[in-house]
């Protein structure tokens, strides 16, 4: 029996209008986006690691970031700049997803539109990768489908739970069951994102490429040995030889490019008489050159640690250039990495007798993946941004008028010779030391000129000549140490170096941009 006060039967059967709790709405969207990105990583690991939506977007962020912001990131975070970028991206994506979820408390469409937009961004960035192929569409499209599907499922479960909670006539058992289904769905999404992301990272870590590197075996040359008397490590300087794991890394690659020796090809062309195309085995069979070389990053601040020394082995560039026949007028070598990064190196620096090479090995082992395996360029005396192209696949002989490299386009100088620099390694800035005779030790470098003198002083007093470690090569750094008499109280210590041309390190302070920092490294200590 019904009365005028009873709702129509069709209205009574409707599900009550559900408004998702804020935390549920935000969590559903964040989980859906997280699962989408994890699936994208997983599919990219199977198809093409560089097509991962996260990495593809990150690469575009790096390419579009203004030079001043990159300089800030490098100087602030050093070798951890990429981890900071990825962490920042994760926070931004989570916040955007949460806001999309909050906008979808009543309807799923705002967050679905957001998932679609994020998916299209991933597709666009993946296709913008220099090495993009049609397979690069697979990962972002899979991420888009996974994100949309998981959001619809989770949002539906959330609405049913909210409707059951809001319905006073709903049975407690039904309400509890709806909530249990929601939490189960959210748990599955969370675990799925974690597992898919982890497996995707494993696949993207290039086990096959690592196996390819392992198959190369040790390269000719002594590698990892420090010549007698080459450092004062017992007094606090770094070891003359930098272990591969400790060698500084600064580049624009958000994910280390993965190139096996079987897939590697190098093309040398441009203003040459004969174009040359070589695979890895052809490079390995050529006469190899071994040389210790100290590399430095142009972003290194005075006293900074973006400088390292290793024994490299590789194919002399002068031999390759002579074989190709460099035409008159060619004054720049334009090198391109597999990820599209470019450097511009003076031809003269590769033909004047210095050990410029296409390096295959580092400290007696094949190049580490993060340092350019299978092949990178190394030219002593020049900052890495003009001479250290990693994962190099293309060399074009050209001119400075015709080609501007990645960092030249962003205002850095074209030729990048390394400036004479020195650094106090001990005592550290703000350190407390015993009063009296204090050992001060550090490092100096002036690649392809050599360091002939280092002087240190306290409190702007007279300069005192430091003892120099053995001079191994003009292309490597040189360690020094001295003893200063420091009475109790605060003191300011300074160091300067002189290179083999007679050039004395300038006291004028300048930032790294556009051609390297200058000034005397200064530390403050307290003796007591």
């Amino acid at each position: 029996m019904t009365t005028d006060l009873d709702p129509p039967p069709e209205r009574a059967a409707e599900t009550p209008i559900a408004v998702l709790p804020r935390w549920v709405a935000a969590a559903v969207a964040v989980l859906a986006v997280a699962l989408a990105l994890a699936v994208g990583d997983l599919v990219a690991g199977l198809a093409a690691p560089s097509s991962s939506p996260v990495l593809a977007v990150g690469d575009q962020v790096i390419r579009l970031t203004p030079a001043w912001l990159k300089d800030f990131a490098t100087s602030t975070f050093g070798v951890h700049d990429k981890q900071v970028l990825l962490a920042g991206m994760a926070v931004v994506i989570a916040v955007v997803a949460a806001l999309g979820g909050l906008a979808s408390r009543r309807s799923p469409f705002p967050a679905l539109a957001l998932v679609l937009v994020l998916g299209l961004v991933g597709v666009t960035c993946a296709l913008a990768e220099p090495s993009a192929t049609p397979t690069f569409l697979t990962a972002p499209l899979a991420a888009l489908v996974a994100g949309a599907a998981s959001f619809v499922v989770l949002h539906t479960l959330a609405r049913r739970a909210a409707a059951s909670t809001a319905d006073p006539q709903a049975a407690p058992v039904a309400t509890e069951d709806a909530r249990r289904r929601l939490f189960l769905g959210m748990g599955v999404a969370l675990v799925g994102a974690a597992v898919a992301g982890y497996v995707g990272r494993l696949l993207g870590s290039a086990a096959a490429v690592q196996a390819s590197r392992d198959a190369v075996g040790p390269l000719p040359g002594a590698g990892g040995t420090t010549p007698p008397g080459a450092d004062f490590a017992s007094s606090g300087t770094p070891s003359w030889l930098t272990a591969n794991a400790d060698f500084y890394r600064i580049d624009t690659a958000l994910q280390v490019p993965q190139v096996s020796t079987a897939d590697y090809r190098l093309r040398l062309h441009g203003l040459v008489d004969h174009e040359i195309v070589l695979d890895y085995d052809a490079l390995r069979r050529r006469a190899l050159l071994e040389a210790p070389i100290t590399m430095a990053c142009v972003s290194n601040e005075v006293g900074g640690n973006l400088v390292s020394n290793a024994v490299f082995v590789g194919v002399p560039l002068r031999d390759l250039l002579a074989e190709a026949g460099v035409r008159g007028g060619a004054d720049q070598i334009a090198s391109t990495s597999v990820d599209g990064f470019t450097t511009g190196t003076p031809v003269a620096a590769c033909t004047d007798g210095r050990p410029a090479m296409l390096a295959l090995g580092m400290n007696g082992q094949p190049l580490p993946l993060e340092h350019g395996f299978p092949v990178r360029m190394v030219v002593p005396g020049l900052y890495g941004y003009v001479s250290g192209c990693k994962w190099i696949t293309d060399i074009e002989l050209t001119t400075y008028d015709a080609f501007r490299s990645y960092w030249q386009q962003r205002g850095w100088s074209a030729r990048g010779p390394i400036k004479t620099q020195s650094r106090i390694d001990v005592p550290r800035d703000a350190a407390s030391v015993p009063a009296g005779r204090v050992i001060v030790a550090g490092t100096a470098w002036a690649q392809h000129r050599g360091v002939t003198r280092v002087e240190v002083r306290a409190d702007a007093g007279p300069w005192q000549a430091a003892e120099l470690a053995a001079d191994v090569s003009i292309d490597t750094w040189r360690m020094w140490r001295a003893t200063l008499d420091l009475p109790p109280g605060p003191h300011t210590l300074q160091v300067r170096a002189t290179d083999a041309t007679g050039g004395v390190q300038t006291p004028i302070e300048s930032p790294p941009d556009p051609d390297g920092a200058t000034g005397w490294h200064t530390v403050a200590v307290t003796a007591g």
Side-chain angles (χ1 to χ4, degrees), residues 439-454:
I439 293 179
V440 182
T443 315
W445 57 92
Q447 289 90 312
H448 207 59
R449 298 183 303 280
V451 173
T452 57
R453 184 178 177 85
V454 173

Side-chain angles (χ1 to χ4, degrees), residues 5-92:
L5 298 178
D6 293 324
E10 61 273 15
R11 287 289 304 279
E14 288 182 1
T15 301
I17 297 176
V19 179
L20 272 59
R22 288 183 174 84
W23 77 268
V24 172
V28 163
V30 170
L31 284 171
V33 171
L35 183 60
L37 296 178
V39 168
D41 262 0
L42 177 61
V43 175
L46 295 169
S50 297
S51 66
S52 163
V54 173
L55 298 176
V57 171
D59 284 340
Q60 293 307 312
V61 169
I62 290 175
R63 292 188 181 99
L64 297 176
T65 298
W68 66 266
L69 186 53
K70 290 183 181 180
D71 298 340
F72 170 78
T74 300
S75 61
T76 304
F77 304 112
V79 297
H80 304 293
D81 56 343
K82 296 171 186 62
Q83 293 94 318
V84 172
L85 172 60
L86 288 173
M89 287 177 57
V91 171
V92 170

Side-chain angles (χ1 to χ4, degrees), residues 398-412:
T398 183
T399 67
Y400 278 99
D401 291 335
F403 176 80
R404 298 177 69 233
S405 66
Y406 180 93
W407 285 112
Q408 288 180 47
Q409 296 173 30
R410 289 156 177 80
W412 292 78

